[in-house]
Amino acid sequence: MKIIYDESICVVCLSCVSESECGGITYRHGKIFIDETCAEDWSGIADICPVGALTLKDEEEDF
C-alpha cells in the first residue's frame, strides 16, 4: 500500500500528525511531510483525515 497526500485539499488540521505514533507524518515550516518508511497505522491515519487529503492505494494501481 502507498499513502497518497493531496496537499491541494488539506486544511492543515494536523489530525494526521497527532495520529502518527512513529513520526511518519510531521509538520514543519507550515507543511505536512510524510515518511512512508515509518511503521505507522496508515489506514487509521487516512481514516482520521476529515477532508480525504490522505488516501491509501495499492501500489499496482495506476495513479
Side-chain angles (χ1 to χ4, degrees):
M1 295 296 256
K2 179 170 180 58
I3 188 126
I4 306 298
Y5 170 56
D6 187 343
E7 186 176 7
S8 69
I9 62 173
C10 179
V11 295
V12 194
C13 69
L14 303 180
S15 293
C16 58
V17 175
S18 297
E19 189 72 11
S20 173
E21 295 179 354
C22 302
I25 301 185
T26 55
Y27 180 73
R28 298 184 309 271
H29 309 293
K31 295 189 102 173
I32 301 286
F33 293 89
I34 297 175
D35 180 356
E36 289 187 75
T37 64
C38 292
E40 295 283 1
D41 174 12
W42 293 110
S43 178
I45 291 173
D47 287 346
I48 204 167
C49 182
V51 295
L54 293 169
T55 56
L56 290 176
K57 300 284 184 191
D58 286 327
E59 295 207 34
E60 296 84 36
E61 287 184 33
D62 291 332
F63 297 102

